[in-house]
Structure formats: C-alpha cells, structure tokens
Amino acid sequence: MYKVAKATEYLVITGAGIKDIKLAKKGWILPGQSCSVFDLSPVNYTFEVQAMSAEKLPFVLPAVFTIGPRVDDEHSLHMYAKLLSSHDKLSNHVKELVQGIIEGETRVLAASMTMEEVFKGTKEFKQEVFHKVQLELNQFGLLIYNANVKQLVDVPGHEYFSYLGQKTQMEAANQAKVDVAEAKKKGEIGAKLRQGKTLQNAAKIDAETKIIATQTQGEGKKEEIKVRAEVKVFENEREAEVAEANSELAKKKAAWAKVAQVAEVEAAKAVALREAELQGEVERMNAMTTTQKLKAEFLSKASVEYEAKVQEANWELYKKQKAAEAILFEKEKEAEGQKTLAEAAFFSRQQAAEAELYAKKKEAEGLVAIGQAQGAYLRTLLDALGGNYAALRDYLMINGGMFQQIAKINAEAIRGLEPKISIWNNNGNNGGDVSDAMKEVGGVYKMLPPLFKTVHEQTGMLPPAWMGTLDKKNTTT
C-alpha cells in the first residue's frame, strides 16, 4: 500500500527491514510493516502556574505557550515520533507532561527570586522561564514557538501586588506634593541662578570644546600617520612574499619543462632506433628469402659465393650506418645538453637581475617612506612650535648634539697648540673681597662673551634673549 502524508504531517514506518523507525512524507508500506501519521502543527497550552517567591509569598503566573514538534531537526523529529506521536497533542497525557515541565521550572526559578525582582523584572523572568522550559522539552523533540506571560496575579488572602501598587501610588502622590512645594520655593532663586550658570557653563563648554577639538584633531592626525606607515610596511612585506613565491614557481616550472622536453626527445629517438632495427630485420629476411630462391633455382657455387659477398657487404654497410647514427645521436645529445646549460645560465642571470632590481626598488621605497616620515615629523614639530622656524632650527641643533660637536671640533683644532690665555677681572678691586667659589663662578660668566661670539661666527646663531645678546661690536650685554 502506498501512503502520502499531508503538508503538516509525517509518516512513521516500523517493521520488517527497518532497524528503528523511518520518517517519510510518502512511501510504500510493505507486508510486515506498520505506519502511523503524526501532525506537526503547534498547539496552544494555557496554564495558571502557582509559584512562591524567595520570601515565601505565593502568586499566580498566567501563561500561554505555543508548542509543537521541532521540524528543522531530524533527531528531534525522531524523538517526538518515538515518544509522543502515539498520543494526541491535545490529550491529557501531553498536556500534563508540558504543564509539569513548565510549572516545575517556573516554581524553581521563582523560589530563587524575591517578589520585588519578579515584579520589576517580568521580561527577564519570562526569558529565563522560556530558556529553562525549552531545555527540558528538547529531550521530547518539542519546540516553544511562542510564550506569553500575562500580568502576575495575587493569591486570595495574599494581596501583595495590590498593596504594592497602592504603596507606589501613594509614594508617587506624596513625592509630587513635595516636589511642587520645593519647586515653588526654589523657583525665583533658581531661575536667576540657572541663567547665570547657563552663561558660565556655555562659555566653559565652548572653551573646552575648542580645546578637545584641537586635541582630537592632533591625535587623529598622529593615528592616521601611524596607520599609513603600518599599512605601507604590511603591503611591502606581502609584495615581497608574493614575489618570492612567483620566483620559486617559475623555477619549478622551468625544471619541469626541461624534464618533459628531455623525455620527449628520448622517446622520439627510441622510436626511431626501434624502427631502424625493425627495418633492418625486414631487409635481412628479404635477403634470406631471395638467397634461398637463388639456391633453389641455380644450385651453383657461384651463386652461393655471390650471396656470401652480398651479405658481407650488407653487413659492413649496416655497421657503418649504425656507427654513423650513434655518432649523430651523441652529437645531438651533446648539443641539447649545451643548449640546456645555456638556458639555465640565462635564467639564473635573469633571476639575479630581477632580484637586484626588486631590492633596489624596495630600497628606494624605504628611502621614500623615511623621507615622508621625517617630513611628517618636522611638520608636527613646526606646528607644535607655532610655525617658528628659528625655534625649530635651535631644537634640531640641540637635539642633534651640534653644540657638542662644535665644541669638540674647536677643541680638536687647538689641540697641541700653546695659546696665550689672558684672564681679566673687571670687578674693580682685583678680587680682594671675592671668595674663591665666587671667583670660579665669575670666571664662568666671563667666558660666555667669547663663546657666544665664536658660536655666532661659525653658525650664525644668536644666544637666547634670556641669556644675553650680542651688540654690533660682537660683545655680550
């Protein structure tokens, strides 16, 4: 018998030739097999679960669950077919099973929460109940398509929610009265104070906004420069890896092509040699046949001698031909080997030239990247110094240790000389009233004018204004 299930149904076939059960939408029912049909449509189950919170306060949770077989999972369909397909979905057996799971999980979850948590977190409570119940229904192949939890209801004699609502309403009313009185009290004073603070806060916010915008713009430029540099480095690395892979592939292709060509040439030569050998055999057989005919016809000694001489001449000719062919084959192989060596040398030189060109190109790209980074660095320093090129030059000379190099060069220039050094004192009392420590300090300050003059003559730089200035006569004031 051939059976076909409806769009919302499945056939469950058991019996001969089937190890456990077989699910199908249509099929032949053979002798020794039985078939039943179960519906996949979900069903609504309405419950009023009585639960108790962590404070031992009872309440009623009205809920409507839409539950049916899980159609997107073959294992779940098998579980449902084996465990529940024999019962009607609206039967007391299925309803009690589902109700027992829902009530059990709801009571366990409610017992771990306070009444305040259940009341304020109704959405989270519903999701948690949904999750817990679904875990239990999975073992029966059932799926919760929808779950609606209605408003929590008091148990007669335990009017917690009604009292809680009244309490909230009274608190809201009292708070409103207090707020109105407080608002009237602070109205006039607060209005003036609010206006002043509004103006102050507006000015403060404007200033802070400008500062933050400037800082954000600077940070954005720094991050942009940094990201560009990192992207350039990454691109260079990837290009180098691709070039290296292409080089290796080209080498392997050249080697494979070389082996294939050598094999083709060897096969062609082998075929030619075999053809020559077969042709020689044919010729010898023809000669033997002719000789036998001559022997049979003439039966003379002259014919036999003539045959022997002919055979000998043919043999000598064959040997010479084979020797010539061997020499020719050897020359061809030698020429092919030289050609292969020349091609390999040319390919090696070409690869070396390409590698050198690639290295030069990468070196040039590195120099360009360094130049761009240095340019960004100088632009950042110039922006930080407000566009003052003199300050930028002084910073770079100080940071680069140019003053130390100038001092070192000057010291090297006078090394080995015996200059005449004059020490003068212009304090007017020949140092009679000055201590030794102050004399040393005075000596240091007296050396500044010649030092500033030397630096100005060699670099064109003037000393900072806070340290001293050079007049037209190159003296420090």
Side-chain angles (χ1 to χ4, degrees), residues 324-336:
E325 290 178 357
I327 293 172
L328 177 60
F329 180 74
E330 183 179 357
K331 294 295 184 180
E332 289 177 352
K333 287 296 182 181
E334 183 177 356
E336 290 175 358

Side-chain angles (χ1 to χ4, degrees), residues 176-188:
K177 293 179 182 179
V178 173
D179 293 340
V180 171
E182 188 69 22
K184 289 181 179 179
K185 171 183 174 183
K186 298 180 179 179
E188 296 180 359

Side-chain angles (χ1 to χ4, degrees), residues 277-328:
E277 291 177 357
L278 293 176
Q279 186 65 30
E281 291 292 335
V282 171
E283 291 177 355
R284 282 197 297 273
M285 294 300 296
N286 291 334
M288 290 176 65
T289 303
T290 303
T291 302
Q292 292 296 329
K293 287 181 179 180
L294 292 173
K295 286 181 180 181
E297 291 177 359
F298 299 102
L299 297 175
S300 64
K301 183 177 180 181
S303 297
V304 174
E305 291 178 356
Y306 175 75
E307 178 187 351
K309 290 180 180 180
V310 171
Q311 290 295 332
E312 184 178 356
N314 289 336
W315 178 246
E316 291 295 333
L317 177 60
Y318 177 76
K319 287 196 295 182
K320 290 179 180 180
Q321 289 178 349
K322 290 301 179 182
E325 290 178 357
I327 293 172
L328 177 60

Side-chain angles (χ1 to χ4, degrees), residues 157-331:
H158 299 277
E159 289 77 13
Y160 174 80
F161 294 117
S162 60
Y163 291 151
L164 184 62
Q166 295 176 9
K167 175 186 175 183
T168 305
Q169 184 178 1
M170 292 302 296
E171 288 178 352
N174 294 334
Q175 186 64 37
K177 293 179 182 179
V178 173
D179 293 340
V180 171
E182 188 69 22
K184 289 181 179 179
K185 171 183 174 183
K186 298 180 179 179
E188 296 180 359
I189 298 174
K192 296 294 181 182
L193 182 61
R194 185 74 62 183
Q195 292 177 359
K197 287 189 174 293
T198 300
L199 295 176
Q200 294 175 5
N201 290 334
K204 181 179 179 182
I205 290 172
D206 289 339
E208 292 178 350
T209 301
K210 291 181 180 179
I211 294 173
I212 293 173
T214 303
Q215 292 176 350
T216 304
Q217 187 176 5
E219 293 294 332
K221 289 182 179 179
K222 291 180 181 178
E223 291 297 326
E224 183 178 359
I225 293 171
K226 181 179 178 182
V227 170
R228 287 180 179 176
E230 292 177 353
V231 169
K232 189 64 178 177
V233 172
F234 179 77
E235 290 178 352
N236 293 338
E237 292 178 353
R238 296 288 80 79
E239 289 179 359
E241 292 177 358
V242 171
E244 183 179 357
N246 291 335
S247 176
E248 291 295 329
L249 179 60
K251 291 179 181 179
K252 291 182 179 180
K253 286 183 176 180
W256 296 335
K258 174 184 174 183
V259 173
Q261 291 177 358
V262 172
E264 290 178 358
V265 172
E266 290 179 351
K269 293 298 181 181
V271 171
L273 290 175
R274 184 58 180 167
E275 288 179 353
E277 291 177 357
L278 293 176
Q279 186 65 30
E281 291 292 335
V282 171
E283 291 177 355
R284 282 197 297 273
M285 294 300 296
N286 291 334
M288 290 176 65
T289 303
T290 303
T291 302
Q292 292 296 329
K293 287 181 179 180
L294 292 173
K295 286 181 180 181
E297 291 177 359
F298 299 102
L299 297 175
S300 64
K301 183 177 180 181
S303 297
V304 174
E305 291 178 356
Y306 175 75
E307 178 187 351
K309 290 180 180 180
V310 171
Q311 290 295 332
E312 184 178 356
N314 289 336
W315 178 246
E316 291 295 333
L317 177 60
Y318 177 76
K319 287 196 295 182
K320 290 179 180 180
Q321 289 178 349
K322 290 301 179 182
E325 290 178 357
I327 293 172
L328 177 60
F329 180 74
E330 183 179 357
K331 294 295 184 180

Side-chain angles (χ1 to χ4, degrees), residues 382-431:
L382 187 60
D383 293 340
L385 295 173
N388 190 340
Y389 288 95
L392 175 63
R393 181 193 60 192
D394 295 345
Y395 171 78
L396 292 176
M397 293 181 69
I398 293 171
N399 191 37
M402 182 172 287
F403 289 109
Q404 290 88 335
Q405 294 179 5
I406 292 172
K408 183 177 179 180
I409 292 171
N410 290 332
E412 292 292 338
I414 64 173
R415 178 181 293 178
L417 302 180
E418 296 180 358
K420 293 182 180 181
I421 301 173
S422 299
I423 301 175
W424 67 90
N425 189 347
N426 57 0
N427 56 12
N429 55 7
N430 296 325

Side-chain angles (χ1 to χ4, degrees), residues 9-264:
E9 295 178 344
Y10 256 99
L11 301 178
V12 183
I13 306 173
T14 59
I18 299 174
K19 184 177 181 181
D20 188 8
I21 63 173
K22 177 183 177 181
L23 299 180
K25 298 292 288 185
K26 57 185 177 180
W28 289 98
I29 311 303
L30 304 177
Q33 295 180 351
S34 62
C35 175
S36 61
V37 181
F38 68 90
D39 193 2
L40 300 174
S41 302
V43 178
N44 290 332
Y45 296 95
T46 302
F47 308 105
E48 288 190 357
V49 181
Q50 295 187 357
M52 186 174 292
S53 67
E55 305 101 326
K56 305 296 189 295
L57 295 175
F59 64 92
V60 176
L61 178 67
V64 178
F65 283 78
T66 303
I67 301 175
R70 185 187 291 272
V71 298
D72 58 350
D73 183 50
E74 184 177 357
H75 177 70
S76 298
L77 282 177
H78 276 79
M79 295 297 296
Y80 178 81
K82 288 195 293 186
L83 299 176
L84 298 177
S85 64
S86 61
H87 301 279
D88 187 79
K89 289 184 291 185
L90 297 176
S91 65
N92 290 333
H93 176 78
V94 178
K95 186 174 182 180
E96 289 175 359
L97 173 66
V98 175
Q99 183 177 2
I101 294 174
I102 295 174
E103 289 182 351
E105 296 299 330
T106 304
R107 288 178 180 138
V108 171
L109 182 61
S112 64
M113 302 173 65
T114 63
M115 188 65 77
E116 189 72 15
E117 293 173 346
V118 174
F119 183 73
K120 291 184 177 180
T122 305
K123 183 178 180 181
E124 291 76 10
F125 181 73
K126 169 189 171 182
Q127 293 176 350
E128 192 66 23
V129 170
F130 183 93
H131 178 67
K132 296 289 186 182
V133 172
Q134 182 61 62
L135 290 177
E136 293 296 327
L137 293 178
N138 285 338
Q139 59 186 332
F140 298 100
L142 294 173
L143 173 67
I144 300 176
Y145 288 90
N146 187 29
N148 293 319
V149 177
K150 300 180 181 179
Q151 185 64 37
L152 301 178
V153 180
D154 288 319
V155 176
H158 299 277
E159 289 77 13
Y160 174 80
F161 294 117
S162 60
Y163 291 151
L164 184 62
Q166 295 176 9
K167 175 186 175 183
T168 305
Q169 184 178 1
M170 292 302 296
E171 288 178 352
N174 294 334
Q175 186 64 37
K177 293 179 182 179
V178 173
D179 293 340
V180 171
E182 188 69 22
K184 289 181 179 179
K185 171 183 174 183
K186 298 180 179 179
E188 296 180 359
I189 298 174
K192 296 294 181 182
L193 182 61
R194 185 74 62 183
Q195 292 177 359
K197 287 189 174 293
T198 300
L199 295 176
Q200 294 175 5
N201 290 334
K204 181 179 179 182
I205 290 172
D206 289 339
E208 292 178 350
T209 301
K210 291 181 180 179
I211 294 173
I212 293 173
T214 303
Q215 292 176 350
T216 304
Q217 187 176 5
E219 293 294 332
K221 289 182 179 179
K222 291 180 181 178
E223 291 297 326
E224 183 178 359
I225 293 171
K226 181 179 178 182
V227 170
R228 287 180 179 176
E230 292 177 353
V231 169
K232 189 64 178 177
V233 172
F234 179 77
E235 290 178 352
N236 293 338
E237 292 178 353
R238 296 288 80 79
E239 289 179 359
E241 292 177 358
V242 171
E244 183 179 357
N246 291 335
S247 176
E248 291 295 329
L249 179 60
K251 291 179 181 179
K252 291 182 179 180
K253 286 183 176 180
W256 296 335
K258 174 184 174 183
V259 173
Q261 291 177 358
V262 172
E264 290 178 358

